[in-house]
Amino acid sequence: MKTDRAPISFTVNGADVSVSAAPMRRLSSVLRDHLRLTGTKVGCDAGDCGACTVLLDGEPVCACLLPMASVEGAAVRTVEGLGDFSALQASFLAYGAVQCGFCTPGLLVSATALLERVPRPSEQQVQDALGGILCRCTGYRKIVEAVMEAWRFVLPPSLDFRMPPAGSAVGASAIRLDGIPKVTGTETFGGDSFPADALSVLVIRSPHHRTAFSFGDLDGYVTDNAGVVAVFTARDIPGINSFGVIPPFADQPALAEAETRFRGEAVALVACEGWAARDLDIAAFPVIWRELPAALEPAEAQADGATLIHANRPDNLLVRGLVERGEPETALAQATCLVSGSMQTSYVEHAYIEPEAGYAFMDGDMLTIAACTQAPHLDRDDTARILGLAAEKVRILPTATGGGFGSKIDVSLQPLIGLVALKTGRPAALTYSRTESMASTTKRHPATMRATLGADADGTLRGMVFDGEFNTGAYASFGPTVANRVPVHASGPYATPNYRAVARAIHTNGPVSGAFRGFGVPQATLMQETLLDELAVKLGLDRLQIRLRNALRNGSETVTGQRLEEGVGIGDCLEALHPHWTRALAEANAFNVANGKVKRGVGIASCWYGCGNTSLPNPSTIKLGLAPEGKVVLHQGAVDIGQGANTVIAQIAADALGLPLGDFVLRGADTAITPDAGKTSASRQTYVSGKAAEKAAKALRDNILRYANVSAEASLQLLPGGLLLVHEGGERRRIDLTLLEADKDGLVFTAEESYDPPTTPLDAKGQGKPYAVYGYGAQIAELEVDMALGTVQLIKITAAHDVGRAINPLLAEGQIEGGIAQGIGMALMEEYIPGRTENLHDYLIPTIGDVPPIETILVEVPDPEGPFGAKGLGEHVLIPTAPAILNAIRHATGVLVTKVPATPSRILAAIEEARR
């Protein structure tokens, strides 16, 4: 153990502290590991994300960049030192500036410094003050609003925030039920509560895209390195060394055996004492790498003689999806107007600010894993399979999850820390470095797409053909889902009577491609919506009107032959945009007449998205009950990764039960006590788990009314001390809950219900009912392009989304703004390149200055299946953004960029090509 420590004295949140630390040790590490001030988050350890921002003598600094030698005698203030509850924290909750909450402490600390200087700042001042802090969830707009409006909150602010009364929860912009811990720094994320005696786990990963490897003297490595307790490889895995989110396609080893298939794949684990982990020379680990030829593009992987990445998948084809209806070739041959084109997209990194983190420990013969996740029951099943345990002997205890967007559905560190805890009997902890997270976790599928559209002279669509190759990387993950979802959606929300769409998921030695907010639909929509614009221009039609002409309506049939009886809202979304479209075009025309070097463009794009799994069972189960102390306990297993499931599902349950939202307490996802609510993905939780919650709440209400022997017209009221009042007409009955027998969960009345959306399988031509409900949306992008530099300045985005029923309008707006921000990144800047962009400095995501004003229009066309008419939203909001931006760039410049992101160099290249 190194002993180069020195006593360092400073103040933290007004209290004098003295620590013995190495002078170059990071302040973030001392705050979190020594002082247990875990409100200071670490997202990158490189000063790129700003999550670790604290105040040093009143000035914001990145604690991960500050050596302890610089802290001597200084005053440090963290999120825990903002007071009991500040006006700013109240404003963050009231304005919906908090989603997952991981970046929130850094934002609050920086904003506090600003407000202490400028109590009522301008938008530009807020952007300047917070520009170094990245947020991947919110889209920043509500953060800016919350800081600017914090002065409105009288100190001390009320914590009540006007909770809606009984019967009024649905439709109310209630604050997040889990919000206060997020703004006070007390929320526990994956890396915030490691046991003091936990072993640190370090992962040895492949430095090459494909390599054969062998190990040297592993026992000698343990002996020669102080603090190293054990080394584990694939030979130590007691179960089946394979996992995957779709069991029939499970193919990824927890630790590779003899050969790796992608850069960053894990091959070994080093378990060591925490103090040893900081100084251990991982480069000296005895592994011998032999780099092998790798295929990184589908064309290489499918070339003659290409090595099979998986022996049982000929031509490196994972799966092929098809939807075919009518006679597309005949329809295209007879069409008045044809347009054809191609489009390429890149790998996109999820870039959640919280890297994967968690710990595992043995509780008797039960292996318990506390970690960030989107899918606790899937984690349990995969981890149990790998470790050779019965599923009931593995408990997944999800921590707060600092963003996910799809990637935290796949298991990552769970079987790794589980293996160490199982083998050593000691707790084992692991937090991925930012580079490790980006190198080893899933990405959005790169796509190469081609399509043709045909229409009559009036713009009525007659036919479409679509062909897409999706680079699914080394392992399956959600590749089958993408390949099957894309053909259903590639038509867009338009009536297309003659249609064929094919999507192939191709294995390469690239990063594993998985779920990312849309499952391939954002890529396909780029192809379809840019072609639709071209068709409108070629026919001399208005670009919004051609969309309205072809929009699906109640009674329409989709390309899978599904008849949409009611609840189709795409026409309503487009109509809602009409005045904004007219204004934007007029302003762009006037601007362009007066300007030469800079041109303004306006683009529009639509989307639709099926909620839940494609033609597969998709159940969710919710349980709730009354506790003797007079609270409604909601067993809420739908993991909230920032989207608001904890609040929205409670709002649905509150109105279905007939009690106020303020009477509810949450028991979060925990595989030991919470029913399986399914994975948080595919915009399913509000719709599927919300429906299960509605059913469970109604069943609970029926149980209570039956016990009280009253009719369905009775009302309920909980009083302090465990009294339940039942009112019917002029009668009032009292039930003393404390006198009733409680079950094993401590509840005296309970109900548990499940919901599985009605779907049917697709046949050989992709015909059937793949989803019970679709969400719809459309967006307008206004921007300016510098014709000499190729740079894009976004002016405004207007978004109209059909949510069925806005259960919580504030949270719905936050989802729309956050999805738009990710769509901006996909359109203009995000391109993951293995080995080159494995940090948040080289991989660019939108900052607070990159997201323009966003006007949100919530369209409510109720769905008969959805809870209170609600539809899913999370995925839909990203889908139209990138094509609207590309269409706006073409409107401004006259050229279409056919590979995203549309960087300045690609825009200039397209302009130059058009001039030739």
Side-chain angles (χ1 to χ4, degrees):
M1 181 191 306
K2 291 190 177 182
T3 58
D4 54 344
R5 298 185 175 189
I8 299 173
S9 299
F10 57 109
T11 66
V12 178
N13 300 328
D16 293 333
V17 298
S18 181
V19 299
S20 177
M24 297 307 294
R25 189 175 178 189
R26 304 168 192 258
L27 173 61
S28 55
S29 174
V30 171
L31 289 173
R32 290 177 54 80
D33 301 338
H34 187 81
L35 301 178
R36 304 305 299 165
L37 294 172
T38 55
T40 300
K41 306 304 180 189
V42 176
C44 67
D45 252 351
D48 294 326
C49 74
C52 67
T53 300
V54 299
L55 299 184
L56 183 72
D57 293 332
E59 294 297 321
V61 297
C62 285
C64 75
L65 295 182
L66 200 66
M68 288 304 299
S70 300
V71 182
E72 175 68 40
V76 174
R77 192 177 178 193
T78 70
V79 67
E80 292 91 343
L82 298 186
D84 292 335
F85 198 74
S86 72
L88 178 63
Q89 290 165 315
S91 187
F92 261 55
L93 291 178
Y95 283 97
V98 180
Q99 290 195 23
C100 82
F102 194 80
C103 68
T104 302
L107 290 162
L108 287 167
V109 168
S110 291
T112 295
L114 170 65
L115 293 177
E116 288 175 350
R117 298 192 311 271
V118 186
R120 295 176 66 169
S122 67
E123 179 169 340
Q124 188 60 55
Q125 287 173 313
V126 175
Q127 290 186 346
D128 290 344
L130 304 185
I133 302 172
L134 297 178
C135 174
R136 191 59 157 166
C137 297
T138 66
Y140 301 105
R141 300 306 305 177
K142 295 198 181 303
I143 293 169
V144 172
E145 187 178 14
V147 177
M148 292 177 65
E149 302 299 324
W151 63 273
R152 296 183 181 277
F153 287 80
V154 178
L155 291 172
S158 167
L159 300 185
D160 179 42
F161 288 105
R162 301 174 300 280
M163 275 289 190
S168 301
V170 170
S173 289
I175 67 160
R176 291 178 175 272
L177 296 186
D178 55 0
I180 289 176
K182 295 179 187 293
V183 298
T184 57
T186 57
E187 182 80 283
T188 302
F189 292 88
D192 288 344
S193 59
F194 290 172
D197 62 338
L199 292 170
S200 290
V201 180
L202 305 176
V203 186
I204 309 301
R205 299 185 179 276
S206 170
H208 307 296
H209 299 297
R210 178 172 171 243
T211 181
F213 66 93
S214 59
F215 296 114
D217 184 3
L218 298 179
D219 292 337
Y221 181 79
V222 174
T223 303
D224 294 344
N225 288 277
V228 173
V229 173
V231 167
F232 300 104
T233 66
R235 69 185 181 189
D236 298 301
I237 291 176
I240 299 172
N241 187 18
S242 177
F243 68 87
V245 289
I246 305 173
F249 292 91
D251 58 1
Q252 186 167 353
L255 294 172
E257 303 175 28
E259 182 176 317
T260 64
R261 294 182 172 94
F262 74 99
R263 188 181 187 280
E265 186 165 7
V267 301
L269 308 176
V270 178
C272 58
E273 304 295 347
W275 54 263
R278 288 192 292 270
D279 300 315
L280 191 63
D281 182 9
I282 286 294
F285 187 84
V287 58
I288 301 163
W289 307 106
R290 182 167 61 86
E291 188 174 2
L292 299 173
L296 298 180
E297 299 293 338
E300 298 175 76
Q302 295 200 297
D304 291 342
T307 300
L308 290 183
I309 294 168
H310 297 274
N312 62 337
R313 292 173 185 160
D315 300 319
N316 285 317
L317 174 66
L318 171 62
V319 72
R320 176 181 180 269
L322 168 70
V323 170
E324 186 172 7
R325 184 170 177 80
E327 299 181 355
E329 274 78 15
T330 300
L332 292 176
Q334 295 174 352
T336 303
C337 184
L338 288 180
V339 291
S340 298
S342 62
M343 183 70 64
Q344 286 183 282
T345 70
S346 304
Y347 282 115
V348 183
E349 160 66 21
H350 294 76
Y352 29 71
I353 309 304
E354 179 208 25
E356 291 73 9
Y359 63 93
F361 62 95
M362 298 301 301
D363 182 7
D365 64 349
M366 173 77 75
L367 173 64
T368 297
I369 299 174
C372 56
T373 181
Q374 294 180 234
H377 283 79
L378 284 177
D379 289 356
R380 180 197 64 184
D381 295 346
D382 264 348
T383 301
R385 183 170 181 259
I386 292 166
L387 299 183
L389 300 173
E392 61 269 19
K393 293 300 181 182
V394 177
R395 178 187 184 187
I396 302 296
L397 188 59
T399 60
T401 297
F405 319 115
S407 186
K408 288 178 182 174
I409 303 174
D410 298 75
V411 299
S412 54
L413 50 72
Q414 291 86 349
L416 307 183
I417 56 178
L419 176 64
V420 174
L422 186 67
K423 291 288 188 177
T424 66
R426 290 181 57 182
L430 171 58
T431 298
Y432 281 8
S433 69
R434 175 55 57 180
T435 295
E436 188 173 22
S437 174
M438 294 180 77
S440 66
T441 60
T442 60
K443 307 287 174 276
R444 184 182 295 284
H445 284 73
T448 299
M449 301 166 290
R450 296 161 296 280
T452 298
L453 284 178
D456 290 341
D458 65 355
T460 302
L461 290 175
R462 289 305 175 195
M464 178 182 181
V465 293
F466 171 96
D467 184 88
E469 284 190 343
F470 291 78
N471 183 345
T472 206
Y475 296 105
S477 185
F478 277 103
T481 303
V482 168
N484 285 289
R485 184 177 280 269
V486 164
V488 175
H489 290 85
S491 64
Y494 308 113
T496 312
N498 300 282
Y499 176 84
R500 185 177 62 253
V502 176
R504 294 176 299 281
I506 308 298
H507 279 301
T508 69
N509 291 114
V512 181
S513 297
F516 190 168
R517 210 169 192 168
F519 289 95
V521 180
Q523 296 95 305
T525 304
L526 276 166
M527 184 73 265
Q528 202 277 345
E529 288 289 328
T530 54
L531 275 183
L532 195 57
D533 252 31
E534 185 176 339
L535 188 65
V537 171
K538 200 168 181 180
L539 288 169
L541 301 174
D542 178 83
R543 291 177 287 150
L544 184 148
Q545 290 302 323
I546 197 173
R547 289 170 168 83
L548 270 172
R549 178 178 297 278
N550 292 286
L552 295 167
R553 308 283 180 177
N554 290 344
S556 293
E557 287 193 358
T558 72
V559 292
T560 70
Q562 179 179 353
R563 186 175 178 82
L564 304 174
E565 298 293 348
E566 55 184 306
V568 182
I570 182 58
D572 300 76
C573 293
L574 289 165
E575 291 286 5
L577 289 180
H578 192 272
H580 304 273
W581 177 248
T582 302
R583 172 201 53 80
L585 287 176
E587 291 179 1
N589 290 338
F591 181 93
N592 290 335
V593 167
N595 290 272
K597 177 185 174 185
V598 176
K599 294 296 184 182
R600 182 172 290 191
V602 183
I604 188 169
S606 304
C607 75
W608 68 326
Y609 191 81
C611 300
N613 296 340
T614 308
S615 293
L616 291 172
N618 194 21
S620 180
T621 303
I622 294 288
K623 173 181 175 180
L624 73 163
L626 289 185
E629 63 271 21
K631 287 290 184 181
V632 184
V633 179
L634 175 62
H635 286 254
Q636 212 297 79
V639 175
D640 193 325
I641 60 173
Q643 83 279 24
N646 282 336
T647 305
V648 167
I649 291 173
Q651 287 179 262
I652 291 168
D655 278 8
L657 178 58
L659 283 170
L661 185 62
D663 286 342
F664 278 67
V665 295
L666 299 176
R667 286 187 183 168
D670 176 347
T671 59
I673 65 171
T674 307
D676 186 2
K679 57 188 179 294
T680 294
S681 71
S683 301
R684 62 176 298 280
Q685 292 297 20
T686 294
Y687 168 61
V688 182
S689 293
K691 187 69 172 183
E694 181 185 42
K695 291 178 63 179
K698 287 180 177 179
L700 177 61
R701 178 180 171 82
D702 289 345
N703 292 343
I704 295 169
L705 298 182
R706 193 180 307 106
Y707 180 88
N709 195 28
V710 295
S711 75
E713 303 303 315
S715 62
L716 307 177
Q717 182 182 6
L718 285 169
L719 296 178
L723 288 178
L724 172 64
L725 300 186
V726 183
H727 301 265
E728 185 177 33
E731 299 293 322
R732 187 178 71 173
R733 303 190 183 190
R734 294 164 56 99
I735 301 174
D736 189 339
L737 300 176
T738 65
L739 301 180
L740 301 181
E741 183 179 355
D743 65 10
K744 61 182 177 62
D745 294 314
L747 304 175
V748 295
F749 288 102
T750 62
E752 181 176 309
E753 293 288 335
S754 298
Y755 176 69
D756 191 1
T759 63
T760 62
L762 298 180
D763 65 18
K765 288 196 171 184
Q767 299 298 292
K769 182 182 178 181
Y771 310 103
V773 64
Y774 297 83
Y776 305 90
Q779 295 176 10
I780 296 171
E782 301 171 58
L783 53 78
E784 293 171 2
V785 181
D786 187 310
M787 298 294 286
L789 301 177
T791 54
V792 174
Q793 177 67 47
L794 292 168
I795 305 300
K796 182 182 180 182
I797 291 179
T798 308
H801 284 271
D802 170 26
V803 299
R805 177 74 184 277
I807 304 297
N808 187 312
L810 182 69
L811 298 185
E813 289 173 6
Q815 281 292 285
I816 290 169
E817 292 172 5
I820 286 171
Q822 291 187 352
I824 290 169
M826 179 182 178
L828 297 177
M829 65 188 71
E830 296 190 42
E831 184 169 14
Y832 178 81
I833 302 171
R836 287 177 51 190
T837 58
E838 292 169 352
N839 56 66
L840 294 174
H841 177 77
D842 296 311
Y843 184 84
L844 303 180
I845 68 172
T847 69
I848 200 168
D850 293 316
V851 181
I854 296 171
E855 183 170 350
T856 296
I857 303 168
L858 295 179
V859 176
E860 295 183 293
V861 180
D863 182 83
E865 277 289 319
F868 294 94
K871 302 168 183 173
L873 179 67
E875 246 89 353
H876 318 64
V877 295
L878 175 146
I879 295 169
T881 309
I885 289 172
L886 259 62
N887 283 336
I889 292 172
R890 176 161 54 183
H891 182 234
T893 65
V895 298
L896 176 66
V897 179
T898 58
K899 181 171 183 179
V900 293
T903 56
S905 61
R906 287 178 179 146
I907 292 173
L908 287 178
I911 293 172
E912 287 300 316
E913 178 67 24
R915 286 173 178 166
R916 293 195 184 105

